[in-house]
Each structure stands twice: as structure tokens, then as C-alpha cells.
Amino acid sequence: PAAFALAQIGPDVPDAPEALKALKAALEPKSFGNIDLPSCAARALIDLGWEREAVRAYFAGLLEYDSFVMKLDGAEGLIRLGEADAATAALADAIGRGEAAVARKAIELMGRCGAKGDPVLPALERRLARERALFSTGVGESLRTVGTPRAFALLRRYAP
């Protein structure tokens, strides 16, 4: 709601620069004890259409963390920015090495990439080969959304 209101008034309204400054300051993850705050600020900036480069840098920086939670948050933000190509390596890593819940989230994000999710498919194929139980309706939906010949081949091979 706050992001919507700011978007309606625009960055030229007298108090908007202060709000923008606060959102940009919140992008610094080490500035605050609440780890969710920087990501919320980045998402608000995406919704506002402001500070695209700062937001991109924030989300790209999350891909460097060891934590899959951080990596997937970064990947999701980049996908929202329309930069799925920058997220595929992190998604493939999460699918290949993450626990089942992490892999499922990465597979969902892969689906949001559309055809740009195709480079993630070899990691998914390797994971399904060793853990067929990972296949679910959500995996099938993601493969259909990727929509490439390789995605449909995996769908035919692993769908029940």
C-alpha cells in the first residue's frame, strides 16, 4: 500500500525524495537487524519503478551468499526486474544442492523465467534422476511455462 501511494504521487512531490532516500538506505542489509527489510524495500522500489540499478545491484548481491534463502530471494528479485538470465545459475545450484523445499522454490522460480529458464533444466534433470519423488504438479507447471523442447521432454519423461 505504501509503495502504491508513492507511485501515485511520483518522485517529484516534496516528501517523496525523503521516502526514496529511506528506501534506498534500507537496501543495505547490514544496516538493519531485520533481514526482511532490505528485500521489502527493494520490492517497493520495483513497484515504484524507482532506482532500478540500485535494486538490481542489491538482488545480484544476494546471489553471492552461501544461504539458499538469500540466493533465491536475489533470484526472485532479478526475475521480477525482467533479468531472469542473471538468476539461472543460482536456481540451478539450489535445485542441484538444496533440500527438497529449496529445490521446489527454485523450480517455481525457474517457471517464472519462461523460456529463459531453459539453462536450469540440466540441473533439474539430474535432480529428478536421483530423486523422482521431487516431481509434483508444480514441477510440471514450471516445465510447461518454460515451454522449450527440453522442458517438454522432461515433462514426458517424469510426469506420472
Side-chain angles (χ1 to χ4, degrees), residues 73-137:
D73 192 30
E76 185 172 12
L78 289 168
I79 292 164
R80 283 187 68 189
L81 285 170
E83 298 193 22
D85 294 340
T88 56
L91 297 177
D93 185 34
I95 290 169
R97 297 187 312 117
E99 294 182 17
V102 167
R104 283 192 184 94
K105 177 65 177 178
I107 293 164
E108 173 198 328
L109 293 173
M110 175 196 73
R112 290 194 213 166
C113 295
K116 290 182 177 184
D118 188 78
V120 180
L121 295 176
L124 177 58
E125 184 171 19
R126 288 188 298 274
R127 180 71 181 252
L128 290 173
R130 69 178 193 269
E131 192 179 338
R132 191 177 188 110
L134 185 69
F135 193 92
S136 66
T137 303

Side-chain angles (χ1 to χ4, degrees), residues 107-118 138-148 151-152 155:
I107 293 164
E108 173 198 328
L109 293 173
M110 175 196 73
R112 290 194 213 166
C113 295
K116 290 182 177 184
D118 188 78
V139 173
E141 289 172 12
S142 288
L143 288 169
R144 280 188 281 285
T145 304
V146 170
T148 62
F152 285 119
L155 189 59

Side-chain angles (χ1 to χ4, degrees), residues 57-82:
Y58 168 74
F59 283 125
L62 293 181
L63 300 180
E64 304 302 319
Y65 283 83
D66 291 332
S67 161
F68 284 122
V69 171
M70 300 293 276
K71 284 184 182 196
L72 292 180
D73 192 30
E76 185 172 12
L78 289 168
I79 292 164
R80 283 187 68 189
L81 285 170

Side-chain angles (χ1 to χ4, degrees), residues 20-40:
L20 176 59
K21 191 186 309 180
L23 287 170
K24 278 184 71 175
L27 290 179
E28 184 55 48
K30 294 177 175 58
S31 302
F32 302 95
N34 181 349
I35 194 145
D36 294 328
L37 181 61
S39 288
C40 289

Side-chain angles (χ1 to χ4, degrees), residues 44-64:
L45 288 166
I46 290 172
D47 292 344
L48 291 164
W50 297 349
E51 299 297 325
R52 181 180 173 81
E53 286 307 310
V55 171
R56 187 199 182 291
Y58 168 74
F59 283 125
L62 293 181
L63 300 180
E64 304 302 319

